Amino acid sequence: MAATTMQAYDKYGAPLFVNKEEEISTGTSIIACTFDGGVMIGADSRTSSGIYVSNRVADKLTRITDNIYCCRSGSAADTQAIADIVAYHLDFYKAETGEEPKVETAAAIFQELCYKYKEQLLAAVIVAGWDSVNGSQVYSIPLGGMCFKQNLAVGGSGSTFIYGYIDANYKQAMSEAECRQFMTNTLALAMSRDGSSGGVIRLGTIRPGKPIEREIISGVKIPKFAH
């Protein structure tokens, strides 16, 4: 008879023996989508270290400027460090020129860092925002440092479960309400299928000339789908 290995857990269900050197990962399910009048970003809130959920309410929607945000997936430390570096560069740019940075400029700096250090970093980001030159924009920068401009971008481990739903339900120039429902359903489906995604749904809406509007969808408000 084969021997059975038992994993010990504490009273809260956390494993007693966790590899302390295992990197904290954002999991993850992230999405950004343009709509008629702005751009919307969204993510789940689970970060993990191996099988251990280290944070169930993490914020993966990170400010770069007032009108540019990024959605982070991969190593939490790597993506936070890159976001801080890009934010510093753009703050310096604004101080020198007196102009608001463009979204494509932010995406270009992200791409440069992710490509230059692709052997050292585990980082994939979606850059989204609005500027007065090109309007609402979404850029996807996956592992390896390529950069794609898209109307809709998804990323993270949960994204592999939702391409069918996206193909069947996405349409261009959605209204804000349609975009919000589409993104909420998409993230809820990813969270229900992907073990590395979970927690709450965080959404952010960026409109021309206005501060971002943040929203948290939790508990019974998260859509449920029959399996």
Side-chain angles (χ1 to χ4, degrees), residues 95-208:
E96 275 196 323
T97 65
E99 300 175 354
E100 288 291 339
K102 294 187 290 186
V103 183
E104 65 180 359
T105 304
I109 300 173
F110 268 107
Q111 180 191 20
E112 180 183 4
L113 293 170
C114 290
Y115 180 77
K116 184 176 182 179
Y117 301 105
K118 61 179 181 283
E119 300 297 333
Q120 292 81 33
L121 299 175
L122 183 64
V125 298
I126 297 173
V127 182
W130 180 92
D131 62 58
S132 59
V133 178
N134 297 311
S136 302
Q137 299 150 78
V138 172
Y139 295 88
S140 176
I141 305 170
L143 294 173
M146 294 190 71
C147 184
F148 306 92
K149 184 179 181 181
Q150 302 171 297
N151 291 322
L152 167 70
V154 294
S157 56
S159 65
T160 57
F161 298 93
I162 54 178
Y163 284 111
Y165 179 84
I166 289 172
D167 288 343
N169 292 275
Y170 171 73
K171 58 182 181 180
Q172 293 191 13
M174 288 185 284
S175 68
E176 183 177 333
E178 289 174 329
C179 186
R180 179 178 289 103
Q181 191 61 56
F182 167 75
M183 291 183 58
T184 300
N185 289 346
T186 302
L187 288 169
L189 281 167
M191 290 161 59
S192 69
R193 294 288 187 179
D194 177 35
S196 296
S197 302
V200 302
I201 294 173
R202 295 183 183 274
L203 298 177
T205 305
I206 302 171
R207 304 180 187 87

